[in-house]
Structures are given as C-alpha cells and as structure tokens.
C-alpha cells in the first residue's frame, strides 16, 4: 500500500522527524495491510520493525505449551518486532513475542537492517545509551546472579558443615568410649580366665555373650514408662543377687533389650560365685555393641549428607537427564535443614506415583533453594514459628511441585512485580531480587513449564508446573 509521510508523521513515534527523514522512512519502508491472524511468531528471525497505523494488535508470550496474551491494544503508533536490531550480532535477533491482529490492520513496516542503520545514523547518542543500558543491565544481572549463587553456596556450605559436625563429633566420642570399654573388657576377661572355671562354663559364657550381642541388634523401642519399669525390675534383681551398682547397669541392659529372663539364663549358666564378674563382662559387651551402633549411625548419617550434597550439586551427573523430583526435593531440604532450623516444621506431601521427568536437575535444585529460602524468610518475618509444606501431584500432563508457607504473604500491589529482576522486599544486604527471576527463567524458559503464586497472609503457595515430556536438550537450551 502507498506510504504517506503525512500519515506516519501523525504517529507519536515519528512526530518529531523532519520531512526529509519522513521521506526516507517511506522510501525504505512500506505500509502493509494484514488480515485477522498471525503476523509473526516468537523465536522466528526478527526481520522487520512494525508500527501500527490502525487496527487492533495482540502480543503474546509462549509459556510452556501455551501462548499467554500480554498486550491487546488499538492505540495508534504502538510498535513491536525487531526493536533491538541496532545491537547487531551481539544479540540473537529473533522475535521475543508473537503478534497477531484481530481485525484488518495496517502497519508501517521497516526492514530490520534499515531500522538499525537509521537508528545509528539519526540517534547515535541514544543508541550508545541504549546499548549501555542493555548490556550494562545484562552484565549486572549476571554478576549479581553469580554473587547470589555464591552466597547461597556459602549458606549451604555452612549448614552442611554444621550438619556434618554433629554426627562426626558423636562418632569421635563413641570411639573414645569404645576404646575404654574394650580395654576394661580385656581386663575382665583376664580375671575370668584366671578363675577356677571349667571349659564348659567358659564356653557357655561365650555363647551367652554371642546371644547378648544378637539381642542388642534387635532391641525393641520402649516408651519412657516401659523403660523405667524394666530398669527398676532389673536393678532389684541385680541387688538381690549381690551385684554392686545394679542401678548403673540396669539402664544399659534395658537399652539393649535385655530382661530378667536373660539374667536368669546367665545365672544358671555360670553359677552364683562368678555371676558378678560375668555380668560385668557382659555389660561391657552390651556397651561395646551400643557404641558400635552409635558409630554406625553417625557414619551412616555422614554418608547420607555427602550423598545429599552430591545429589544437590549434580557434579557427577549428566546436566540433562530423567529425574525423580522427590530426590531433588529431599536433597535440597537436607542441604537447607540448618537454615530452616527447628522452629519451622517441614511437611512433605509427596505423590510417590509420579513418573520421572526429563530436566536439568542442578538448575531445578536452584529453583527449590530460592523458593524454600523465600518461604523461610516469610515465616521468620512473622515470629519464626510456622510450617513449610512441600507437595507434589499430577496436574493433567504436568508435574506440580508446590511450596506452601504460613508466613506474612505477598501484598497484592507487589505480586505482579516479584518475578522482575532486582525487585526484592528483603532488607538491604539480604536479597538481590534475582532469586525469583532466575527461578522463572529456569522453569519457564529452560523447562517450558509454569511458575505461579497464590498468596494471602498465612498461606502463600508457589507452584512449579513441569511437563512430563520435553524437547531434546539441544532444542531445550
């Protein structure tokens, strides 16, 4: 269609241009009429800059498998398309959204290369300022994002060190006590060996020792009242049989699952004259078994923490693979347990029937970290006590991962800004405002999922929806 310099001069974008400049625009560009339907699609090469002369335009962004409408307007002069062509090859030149029209609509269309040349020629200072703003913001965002990841890593490392210290210290204490008990057992064995005991009696005593060790491994869990009653009964039996300090031995025997019937068997096997020495020797056997169980529990916990750290970091795993989201959630919760603290109750509502999904697990762990950290901060802002609920479920053809907290909630007036870069409600120095922005880009851009929030005071829910199937990693990047 013919291009009229007077008509395009009536658009706010060009109203300050000279007649010569308007003439050049009309000479380089064109006016084109589009019937209802698509104009261009998100991700296609950005070849043109569009300015609407009349009609109605709709812009949308692709979120997961859906196109979400972001703008619908009939205002003359609105523009879209290759708006960053003046940045050249330094930026991937593709359309950042999709555009369609709902009625016959006329556009002034300018080729991207021409638009870039005109911008650099007519507005060199503005181009330099825009370049500085674009790349400066991008570099700042990358630097602060890296800083935030390092801060999160430092916090996780501190929490992991604290969690590792407890079982490690318990293992060290148990080892020192075990060394002492083994030394006393050797001494007691020497005393027994020097006594007037027959070979049959010693063999019976050793057999009782073996059965005692087996009972320790199968000791039942007693309630405090049951344990107290059994301790009293054992202490009375020991006192009646002339064994000193029975009240000290009884708790150890009860913890090991031993009872009066067991003591009767010992007494029948060794005789009354050597019963005190035999009971003392068997007490050391019980103590060594209990200490070895404590060492085993401590080292197992350390191993689990190390496994959780490896699961969280994904250092020895492929960057893109099929994963169980519950494994990722558990490793993140364990890594953050020190930060969560004892005053916040963690509730897991997992649907274990969910299938594994293709994903970038290390990056999903970063999403969980950001959302859990925000939930903990919200709970602490209301006094420190509260509940964090992590729920998984199947939502049609997607996996839902929901983080629900009982914190202060998100005010309606800022809810639309929480995913914006650098926006934060935390005090200065405590937040960079990039946690949710990074989470959004990981979930939406990289996994083609959805990240949404629902919030009222006392009930805030961040919901991550991930597709059950995904593109190949090459296509997904």
């Amino acid at each position: 269609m013919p291009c009229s310099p007077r008509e395009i001069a009536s658009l706010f974008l060009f109203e300050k241009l000279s007649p010569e400049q308007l003439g050049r625009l009309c000479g380089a560009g064109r006016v084109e009429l589009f019937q209802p339907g698509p104009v261009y699609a998100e991700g296609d090469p950005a070849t043109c800059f569009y300015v609407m002369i009349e009609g109605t335009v709709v812009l949308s962004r692709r979120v997961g498998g859906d196109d979400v409408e972001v703008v619908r307007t009939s205002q003359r002069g609105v523009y879209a398309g290759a708006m960053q062509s003046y940045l050249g090859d330094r930026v991937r030149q593709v359309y950042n959204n999709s555009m369609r029209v709902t009625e016959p609509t006329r556009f002034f269309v300018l080729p991207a290369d021409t638009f870039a040349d005109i911008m650099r020629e007519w507005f060199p200072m503005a181009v330099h300022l825009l370049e500085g703003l674009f790349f400066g913001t991008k570099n700042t965002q990358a630097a602060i994002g890296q800083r935030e990841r390092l801060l999160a890593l430092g916090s996780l490392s501190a929490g992991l060190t604290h969690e590792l210290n407890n079982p490690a210290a318990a293992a060290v204490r148990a080892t020192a006590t075990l060394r002492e008990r083994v030394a006393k057992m050797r001494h007691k064995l020497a005393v027994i060996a020097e006594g007037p005991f027959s070979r049959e009696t010693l063999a019976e005593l050793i057999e009782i020792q073996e059965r005692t060790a087996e009972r320790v491994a199968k000791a039942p869990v007693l309630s405090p009242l049951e344990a107290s009653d059994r301790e009293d009964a054992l202490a009375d039996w020991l006192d009646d049989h002339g064994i000193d300090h029975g009240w000290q031995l009884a708790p150890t025997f009860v913890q090991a699952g031993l009872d009066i019937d067991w003591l009767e068997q010992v007494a029948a096997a060794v005789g009354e004259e050597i019963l005190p020495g035999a009971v003392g020797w068997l007490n050391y056997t019980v103590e060594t078994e209990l200490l070895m169980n404590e060492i085993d529990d401590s080292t197992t916990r350390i191993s689990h923490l190390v496994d959780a750290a490896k699961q969280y970091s994904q250092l020895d795993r492929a960057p893109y693979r099929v994963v169980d989201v519950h494994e990722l959630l558990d490793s993140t919760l364990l890594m953050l347990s020190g930060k969560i603290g004892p005053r916040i109750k963690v509730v897991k509502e997992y649907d274990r029937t969910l299938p594994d999904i293709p994903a970038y697990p290390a990056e999903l762990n970063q999403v969980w970290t950001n959302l859990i950290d925000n939930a903990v901060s919200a709970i602490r802002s209301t006094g420190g006590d509260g509940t964090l609920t992590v729920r998984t479920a199947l939502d049609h053809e997607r996996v839902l991962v929901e983080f629900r907290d009982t914190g202060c909630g998100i005010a309606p007036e800022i809810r639309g800004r929480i995913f914006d870069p650098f926006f934060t409600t935390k005090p200065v120095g405590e937040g960079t405002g990039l946690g949710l922005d990074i989470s959004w880009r990981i979930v939406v851009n990289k996994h083609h999922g959805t990240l949404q929030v629902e919030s009222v005071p006392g009930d805030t829910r961040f919901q991550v929806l991930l597709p059950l199937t995904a593109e190949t990693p090459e296509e997904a990047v």
Side-chain angles (χ1 to χ4, degrees), residues 327-352:
E327 292 182 358
L328 305 182
L329 290 167
D330 285 339
S331 66
T332 303
L333 286 168
L334 183 55
M335 292 291 289
L336 291 172
S337 58
K339 189 168 189 176
I340 294 172
R343 297 178 61 185
I344 297 177
K345 180 182 179 182
V346 177
V347 177
K348 299 178 182 179
E349 297 178 357
Y350 289 170
D351 180 358
R352 294 288 186 179

mmCIF file of all heavy atoms in Angstrom, residues 327-352:
data_model
loop_
_atom_site.group_PDB
_atom_site.id
_atom_site.type_symbol
_atom_site.label_atom_id
_atom_site.label_comp_id
_atom_site.label_asym_id
_atom_site.label_seq_id
_atom_site.Cartn_x
_atom_site.Cartn_y
_atom_site.Cartn_z
ATOM 1 N N GLU A 327 13.670 -36.932 44.798
ATOM 2 C CA GLU A 327 15.079 -36.998 45.182
ATOM 3 C C GLU A 327 15.696 -35.607 45.217
ATOM 4 O O GLU A 327 16.462 -35.273 46.130
ATOM 5 C CB GLU A 327 15.846 -37.890 44.193
ATOM 6 C CG GLU A 327 15.481 -39.365 44.254
ATOM 7 C CD GLU A 327 16.308 -40.178 43.276
ATOM 8 O OE1 GLU A 327 17.130 -39.574 42.542
ATOM 9 O OE2 GLU A 327 16.133 -41.413 43.243
ATOM 10 N N LEU A 328 15.359 -34.789 44.238
ATOM 11 C CA LEU A 328 15.885 -33.426 44.209
ATOM 12 C C LEU A 328 15.363 -32.621 45.394
ATOM 13 O O LEU A 328 16.118 -31.877 46.040
ATOM 14 C CB LEU A 328 15.502 -32.741 42.898
ATOM 15 C CG LEU A 328 15.890 -33.457 41.603
ATOM 16 C CD1 LEU A 328 15.488 -32.612 40.396
ATOM 17 C CD2 LEU A 328 17.381 -33.742 41.566
ATOM 18 N N LEU A 329 14.072 -32.748 45.693
ATOM 19 C CA LEU A 329 13.480 -32.007 46.803
ATOM 20 C C LEU A 329 14.099 -32.436 48.137
ATOM 21 O O LEU A 329 14.429 -31.594 48.985
ATOM 22 C CB LEU A 329 11.970 -32.226 46.834
ATOM 23 C CG LEU A 329 11.177 -31.579 45.697
ATOM 24 C CD1 LEU A 329 9.751 -32.122 45.664
ATOM 25 C CD2 LEU A 329 11.166 -30.058 45.835
ATOM 26 N N ASP A 330 14.265 -33.750 48.327
ATOM 27 C CA ASP A 330 14.816 -34.238 49.593
ATOM 28 C C ASP A 330 16.251 -33.763 49.796
ATOM 29 O O ASP A 330 16.641 -33.376 50.901
ATOM 30 C CB ASP A 330 14.766 -35.771 49.636
ATOM 31 C CG ASP A 330 13.355 -36.293 49.872
ATOM 32 O OD1 ASP A 330 12.518 -35.520 50.388
ATOM 33 O OD2 ASP A 330 13.087 -37.467 49.551
ATOM 34 N N SER A 331 17.053 -33.806 48.729
ATOM 35 C CA SER A 331 18.443 -33.358 48.866
ATOM 36 C C SER A 331 18.504 -31.875 49.175
ATOM 37 O O SER A 331 19.318 -31.426 50.003
ATOM 38 C CB SER A 331 19.238 -33.678 47.593
ATOM 39 O OG SER A 331 18.765 -32.917 46.486
ATOM 40 N N THR A 332 17.629 -31.068 48.555
ATOM 41 C CA THR A 332 17.625 -29.634 48.820
ATOM 42 C C THR A 332 17.173 -29.346 50.245
ATOM 43 O O THR A 332 17.763 -28.514 50.946
ATOM 44 C CB THR A 332 16.711 -28.902 47.821
ATOM 45 O OG1 THR A 332 17.151 -29.205 46.494
ATOM 46 C CG2 THR A 332 16.773 -27.400 48.031
ATOM 47 N N LEU A 333 16.129 -30.018 50.705
ATOM 48 C CA LEU A 333 15.654 -29.820 52.076
ATOM 49 C C LEU A 333 16.725 -30.211 53.088
ATOM 50 O O LEU A 333 16.895 -29.538 54.117
ATOM 51 C CB LEU A 333 14.380 -30.628 52.312
ATOM 52 C CG LEU A 333 13.110 -30.082 51.645
ATOM 53 C CD1 LEU A 333 11.989 -31.120 51.710
ATOM 54 C CD2 LEU A 333 12.676 -28.780 52.307
ATOM 55 N N LEU A 334 17.446 -31.297 52.806
ATOM 56 C CA LEU A 334 18.503 -31.712 53.717
ATOM 57 C C LEU A 334 19.638 -30.696 53.720
ATOM 58 O O LEU A 334 20.169 -30.346 54.786
ATOM 59 C CB LEU A 334 19.027 -33.099 53.313
ATOM 60 C CG LEU A 334 20.101 -33.712 54.226
ATOM 61 C CD1 LEU A 334 19.603 -33.771 55.661
ATOM 62 C CD2 LEU A 334 20.481 -35.102 53.741
ATOM 63 N N MET A 335 20.003 -30.195 52.543
ATOM 64 C CA MET A 335 21.059 -29.196 52.477
ATOM 65 C C MET A 335 20.662 -27.909 53.195
ATOM 66 O O MET A 335 21.508 -27.212 53.749
ATOM 67 C CB MET A 335 21.388 -28.886 51.013
ATOM 68 C CG MET A 335 22.044 -30.024 50.267
ATOM 69 S SD MET A 335 23.717 -30.360 50.836
ATOM 70 C CE MET A 335 24.575 -28.929 50.203
ATOM 71 N N LEU A 336 19.381 -27.583 53.196
ATOM 72 C CA LEU A 336 18.906 -26.347 53.814
ATOM 73 C C LEU A 336 18.390 -26.552 55.231
ATOM 74 O O LEU A 336 17.850 -25.607 55.824
ATOM 75 C CB LEU A 336 17.787 -25.736 52.967
ATOM 76 C CG LEU A 336 18.200 -25.169 51.602
ATOM 77 C CD1 LEU A 336 16.968 -24.773 50.802
ATOM 78 C CD2 LEU A 336 19.115 -23.967 51.770
ATOM 79 N N SER A 337 18.534 -27.765 55.776
ATOM 80 C CA SER A 337 17.961 -28.042 57.095
ATOM 81 C C SER A 337 18.537 -27.137 58.177
ATOM 82 O O SER A 337 17.836 -26.718 59.098
ATOM 83 C CB SER A 337 18.186 -29.515 57.460
ATOM 84 O OG SER A 337 19.573 -29.821 57.444
ATOM 85 N N GLY A 338 19.828 -26.810 58.057
ATOM 86 C CA GLY A 338 20.416 -25.902 59.044
ATOM 87 C C GLY A 338 19.812 -24.520 58.976
ATOM 88 O O GLY A 338 19.604 -23.859 60.004
ATOM 89 N N LYS A 339 19.511 -24.055 57.770
ATOM 90 C CA LYS A 339 18.919 -22.730 57.606
ATOM 91 C C LYS A 339 17.453 -22.726 58.000
ATOM 92 O O LYS A 339 16.937 -21.737 58.541
ATOM 93 C CB LYS A 339 19.068 -22.278 56.150
ATOM 94 C CG LYS A 339 18.682 -20.830 55.912
ATOM 95 C CD LYS A 339 19.115 -20.366 54.540
ATOM 96 C CE LYS A 339 18.927 -18.863 54.384
ATOM 97 N NZ LYS A 339 19.418 -18.364 53.088
ATOM 98 N N ILE A 340 16.758 -23.819 57.733
ATOM 99 C CA ILE A 340 15.350 -23.903 58.103
ATOM 100 C C ILE A 340 15.194 -23.860 59.619
ATOM 101 O O ILE A 340 14.336 -23.154 60.153
ATOM 102 C CB ILE A 340 14.720 -25.171 57.510
ATOM 103 C CG1 ILE A 340 14.685 -25.080 55.978
ATOM 104 C CG2 ILE A 340 13.312 -25.390 58.045
ATOM 105 C CD1 ILE A 340 14.256 -26.360 55.291
ATOM 106 N N GLY A 341 16.029 -24.611 60.324
ATOM 107 C CA GLY A 341 16.021 -24.574 61.779
ATOM 108 C C GLY A 341 14.900 -25.402 62.395
ATOM 109 O O GLY A 341 13.986 -25.862 61.708
ATOM 110 N N PRO A 342 14.946 -25.567 63.719
ATOM 111 C CA PRO A 342 13.974 -26.435 64.401
ATOM 112 C C PRO A 342 12.604 -25.802 64.602
ATOM 113 O O PRO A 342 11.636 -26.501 64.885
ATOM 114 C CB PRO A 342 14.652 -26.704 65.751
ATOM 115 C CG PRO A 342 15.506 -25.485 65.993
ATOM 116 C CD PRO A 342 15.982 -25.046 64.635
ATOM 117 N N ARG A 343 12.496 -24.498 64.478
ATOM 118 C CA ARG A 343 11.221 -23.827 64.763
ATOM 119 C C ARG A 343 10.248 -23.889 63.584
ATOM 120 O O ARG A 343 9.072 -23.592 63.741
ATOM 121 C CB ARG A 343 11.474 -22.370 65.153
ATOM 122 C CG ARG A 343 12.287 -22.213 66.425
ATOM 123 C CD ARG A 343 12.553 -20.757 66.745
ATOM 124 N NE ARG A 343 11.312 -20.012 66.964
ATOM 125 C CZ ARG A 343 11.271 -18.705 67.166
ATOM 126 N NH1 ARG A 343 12.415 -18.002 67.164
ATOM 127 N NH2 ARG A 343 10.119 -18.089 67.373
ATOM 128 N N ILE A 344 10.747 -24.245 62.412
ATOM 129 C CA ILE A 344 9.890 -24.355 61.232
ATOM 130 C C ILE A 344 9.639 -25.832 60.953
ATOM 131 O O ILE A 344 10.575 -26.609 60.753
ATOM 132 C CB ILE A 344 10.531 -23.678 60.008
ATOM 133 C CG1 ILE A 344 10.698 -22.173 60.265
ATOM 134 C CG2 ILE A 344 9.678 -23.910 58.763
ATOM 135 C CD1 ILE A 344 11.382 -21.436 59.138
ATOM 136 N N LYS A 345 8.392 -26.217 60.967
ATOM 137 C CA LYS A 345 8.016 -27.608 60.703
ATOM 138 C C LYS A 345 7.926 -27.833 59.196
ATOM 139 O O LYS A 345 7.277 -27.060 58.489
ATOM 140 C CB LYS A 345 6.671 -27.917 61.359
ATOM 141 C CG LYS A 345 6.193 -29.347 61.138
ATOM 142 C CD LYS A 345 4.833 -29.572 61.781
ATOM 143 C CE LYS A 345 4.335 -30.994 61.548
ATOM 144 N NZ LYS A 345 2.988 -31.196 62.134
ATOM 145 N N VAL A 346 8.596 -28.870 58.728
ATOM 146 C CA VAL A 346 8.576 -29.216 57.301
ATOM 147 C C VAL A 346 7.651 -30.415 57.103
ATOM 148 O O VAL A 346 7.838 -31.462 57.731
ATOM 149 C CB VAL A 346 9.987 -29.536 56.781
ATOM 150 C CG1 VAL A 346 9.924 -29.962 55.317
ATOM 151 C CG2 VAL A 346 10.899 -28.329 56.936
ATOM 152 N N VAL A 347 6.651 -30.241 56.261
ATOM 153 C CA VAL A 347 5.690 -31.310 55.960
ATOM 154 C C VAL A 347 5.849 -31.697 54.491
ATOM 155 O O VAL A 347 5.835 -30.837 53.606
ATOM 156 C CB VAL A 347 4.244 -30.847 56.224
ATOM 157 C CG1 VAL A 347 3.256 -31.941 55.847
ATOM 158 C CG2 VAL A 347 4.070 -30.464 57.697
ATOM 159 N N LYS A 348 5.996 -32.995 54.233
ATOM 160 C CA LYS A 348 6.127 -33.491 52.870
ATOM 161 C C LYS A 348 4.840 -34.207 52.474
ATOM 162 O O LYS A 348 4.451 -35.184 53.125
ATOM 163 C CB LYS A 348 7.311 -34.450 52.745
ATOM 164 C CG LYS A 348 8.656 -33.826 53.084
ATOM 165 C CD LYS A 348 9.761 -34.860 52.978
ATOM 166 C CE LYS A 348 11.112 -34.280 53.362
ATOM 167 N NZ LYS A 348 12.192 -35.302 53.288
ATOM 168 N N GLU A 349 4.195 -33.706 51.436
ATOM 169 C CA GLU A 349 3.005 -34.354 50.889
ATOM 170 C C GLU A 349 3.334 -34.797 49.465
ATOM 171 O O GLU A 349 2.994 -34.141 48.484
ATOM 172 C CB GLU A 349 1.809 -33.391 50.904
ATOM 173 C CG GLU A 349 1.397 -32.952 52.310
ATOM 174 C CD GLU A 349 0.243 -31.976 52.297
ATOM 175 O OE1 GLU A 349 -0.202 -31.582 51.186
ATOM 176 O OE2 GLU A 349 -0.221 -31.578 53.384
ATOM 177 N N TYR A 350 4.038 -35.927 49.362
ATOM 178 C CA TYR A 350 4.544 -36.396 48.077
ATOM 179 C C TYR A 350 3.580 -37.411 47.458
ATOM 180 O O TYR A 350 3.064 -38.297 48.147
ATOM 181 C CB TYR A 350 5.896 -37.074 48.253
ATOM 182 C CG TYR A 350 7.053 -36.162 48.587
ATOM 183 C CD1 TYR A 350 8.287 -36.696 48.963
ATOM 184 C CD2 TYR A 350 6.929 -34.776 48.531
ATOM 185 C CE1 TYR A 350 9.364 -35.876 49.264
ATOM 186 C CE2 TYR A 350 8.001 -33.951 48.832
ATOM 187 C CZ TYR A 350 9.214 -34.503 49.201
ATOM 188 O OH TYR A 350 10.274 -33.695 49.507
ATOM 189 N N ASP A 351 3.381 -37.282 46.185
ATOM 190 C CA ASP A 351 2.705 -38.310 45.403
ATOM 191 C C ASP A 351 3.799 -39.186 44.776
ATOM 192 O O ASP A 351 4.380 -38.836 43.744
ATOM 193 C CB ASP A 351 1.828 -37.671 44.324
ATOM 194 C CG ASP A 351 1.102 -38.711 43.472
ATOM 195 O OD1 ASP A 351 1.318 -39.925 43.707
ATOM 196 O OD2 ASP A 351 0.347 -38.322 42.563
ATOM 197 N N ARG A 352 4.071 -40.299 45.430
ATOM 198 C CA ARG A 352 5.183 -41.154 45.006
ATOM 199 C C ARG A 352 4.899 -41.893 43.709
ATOM 200 O O ARG A 352 5.787 -42.565 43.177
ATOM 201 C CB ARG A 352 5.512 -42.160 46.112
ATOM 202 C CG ARG A 352 6.053 -41.528 47.385
ATOM 203 C CD ARG A 352 7.450 -41.012 47.190
ATOM 204 N NE ARG A 352 8.034 -40.524 48.439
ATOM 205 C CZ ARG A 352 9.268 -40.038 48.542
ATOM 206 N NH1 ARG A 352 10.044 -40.013 47.472
ATOM 207 N NH2 ARG A 352 9.721 -39.608 49.698
#
